[in-house]
Amino acid sequence: MSMAARSADRRPSAATVEILRTLVGFPTVSRDSNLDLIHWVRDYLASHGVASVLTSGKDPGKANLFATIGSGEGGIVLSGHSDVVPVDGQDWHSNPFVLEERDGLLFGRGTCDMKGFIAACLAKVPMLASANLSEPVHLAISFDEEIGCKGAGHMIEELVARGLRPRGCVVGEPTSMEPVIGHKTGSAYGCAVHGLEAHSSLAPYGVNAIFYAARLIARIEAIAARLRAEERRHPGYSVPFSTLSAGVIEGGQASNIVPALCRFRFDIRTLPWTDPDAIVAELQTYIDHELLPEMRAVHAGARIEITMNGRVPGFAIDADAPLTRHVQRLAGSNAEPGFVAFGSEAGLFQARGVPTILCGPGSIEQAHKPDEFVALDQLARCEDFLDRLAQTPFEPA
């Protein structure tokens, strides 16, 4: 049976679909503001008697939202991000910011990553607000997750400052409603190689920044090959070793000019037992002891600068941890918990002592692509999950 046919078997509530329609209509691409969406959610929650706390970083056009339904200590956080990736240059068959239903699927940017989860949570607010909850349910909606989880950190610091100590967190990333218990640490870097410009006919009198950048990239590739050959494997991951990859490079002005500047960006995705800072330190040693002496023999002002542009910490929770078993029961899952290649804010919650797991509607295979979609059946399963969450106390011990 096809996915579309299976999806048509069950529908979520009309409330979830309509809220998702509203959320998709806010074009919250990470480079733009998310305030219209956040303010709409704040007002929606207020209409059901739920107060919100908004936090932001240095960008006045961005905000996180944190809200608590119910009272008492502890509680479970339901966490999702409001931002989406761009649609520029993608071949969509419908308006990416207008929800469209076709063959049991809901199309639109962010439907699976991850406004579908947020919509289902918001649709359940009236039920949660009127339920006799044994402990509170917290809603956490962050900004700029797609460019390094930049918003969640501010929200979590506010949570800590207010003395809130949730007993667990479910990040609703698209996992097809199957529990996920780990992902790698992702670190993004920029590198600027500063040499000395010269006419290409006098190449030995210049310091070719592209040549030295290429040598450094070759060393990055060599480290990646070493990890692939020698690092201890993690059988839970489809790529069971840490990886390095160069993604963007730019430099030079003309073929007859020795370039004085070359910039490139690279990322490192590491398993728990590999330290990305140690990898960068190894690169710095290579720079200091091999590249710079050669460069400065020609030009004393030559330099190479590596900067970290962002880091999404990895996370891991035991397959038999109380939160894992609880989420398996809520999701009605009989599968062994898995691992994913993408990142999330899970590690940020975990670093603050909040046990965290991923479980949400939709598949990451549809995320970031043209014609992104979430299946109606997946949203219905998410609603079932939330109904059980309201009815089933979490026993962490």
Side-chain angles (χ1 to χ4, degrees):
M1 184 182 295
S2 70
M3 179 185 292
R6 289 197 308 270
S7 301
D9 291 342
R10 298 184 63 216
R11 292 187 65 88
S13 66
T16 291
V17 175
E18 288 310 305
I19 291 173
L20 181 56
R21 188 182 311 280
T22 299
L23 298 181
V24 168
F26 293 111
T28 50
V29 176
S30 302
R31 65 186 175 222
D32 300 323
S33 173
N34 74 334
L35 289 182
D36 287 345
L37 182 149
I38 291 296
H39 291 163
W40 183 89
V41 173
R42 177 197 60 193
D43 295 344
Y44 169 83
L45 292 173
S47 72
H48 293 287
V50 178
S52 304
V53 174
L54 272 56
T55 57
S56 60
K58 297 179 180 179
D59 187 340
K62 305 287 181 72
N64 306 299
L65 180 146
F66 191 88
T68 298
I69 304 169
S71 59
E73 300 296 322
I76 298 291
V77 177
L78 302 173
S79 181
H81 61 83
S82 61
D83 60 316
V84 297
V85 298
V87 299
D88 308 40
Q90 293 187 334
D91 183 18
W92 283 74
H93 292 85
S94 58
N95 187 328
F97 298 110
V98 176
L99 192 71
E100 181 171 314
E101 179 178 341
R102 300 195 300 272
D103 300 323
L105 308 174
L106 294 173
F107 292 85
R109 174 55 88 223
T111 47
C112 83
D113 186 22
M114 56 184 300
K115 292 179 177 180
F117 175 76
I118 295 173
C121 292
L122 293 175
K124 290 298 179 180
V125 165
M127 178 273 290
L128 292 169
S130 62
N132 184 25
L133 298 173
S134 60
E135 60 181 354
V137 172
H138 309 282
L139 299 178
I141 303 176
S142 60
F143 66 85
D144 285 358
E145 187 271 352
E146 296 288 4
I147 53 175
C149 293
K150 294 185 176 180
H154 301 290
M155 180 171 56
I156 295 168
E157 290 304 314
E158 170 68 18
L159 182 154
V160 171
R162 293 168 58 201
L164 294 176
R165 299 183 181 277
R167 294 201 289 173
C169 174
V170 178
V171 178
E173 288 282 355
T175 67
S176 300
M177 290 307 299
E178 296 292 343
V180 165
I181 58 173
H183 64 62
K184 297 176 182 178
T185 294
S187 305
Y189 301 89
C191 182
V193 179
H194 298 268
L196 179 66
E197 194 169 88
H199 193 282
S200 61
S201 65
L202 301 172
Y205 296 100
V207 178
N208 192 312
I210 290 178
F211 277 0
Y212 283 98
R215 287 173 61 181
L216 185 53
I217 291 170
R219 178 55 63 100
I220 291 170
E221 183 182 19
I223 294 172
R226 185 186 73 216
L227 290 169
R228 181 169 188 163
E230 300 176 5
E231 186 187 25
R232 176 159 63 98
R233 297 307 203 242
H234 192 309
Y237 288 97
S238 57
V239 178
F241 46 85
S242 299
T243 60
L244 291 83
S245 176
V248 176
I249 186 168
E250 57 184 357
Q253 296 172 296
S255 61
N256 61 353
I257 301 174
V258 173
L261 175 64
C262 182
R263 300 180 187 272
F264 66 92
R265 300 202 297 268
F266 65 100
D267 82 0
I268 304 175
R269 295 180 184 265
T270 48
L271 295 171
W273 42 78
T274 297
D275 181 1
D277 293 336
I279 293 173
V280 174
E282 180 180 345
L283 291 172
Q284 192 64 54
T285 297
Y286 175 65
I287 291 169
D288 293 341
H289 293 279
E290 296 194 40
L291 299 185
L292 286 181
E294 292 182 20
M295 298 169 72
R296 288 175 176 169
V298 178
H299 174 50
R303 66 191 191 276
I304 298 176
E305 302 162 340
I306 295 178
T307 56
M308 187 170 76
N309 295 332
R311 174 169 292 170
V312 176
F315 96 102
I317 186 170
D318 289 341
D320 60 354
L323 181 64
T324 305
R325 296 307 184 198
H326 183 62
V327 169
Q328 284 181 302
R329 288 190 293 270
L330 298 181
S333 174
N334 296 317
E336 282 299 310
F339 299 81
V340 292
F342 58 85
S344 75
E345 68 270 26
L348 296 173
F349 279 101
Q350 195 173 62
R352 283 299 190 170
V354 182
T356 305
I357 193 168
L358 307 188
C359 188
S363 168
I364 197 64
E365 293 181 3
Q366 275 73 57
H368 298 193
K369 294 181 179 179
D371 294 336
E372 177 182 347
F373 67 81
V374 66
L376 290 167
D377 177 69
Q378 283 284 302
L379 292 177
R381 286 183 60 187
C382 186
E383 289 183 334
D384 293 344
F385 177 96
L386 296 168
D387 288 337
R388 296 186 191 112
L389 176 74
Q391 300 161 4
T392 309
F394 173 43
E395 303 293 344

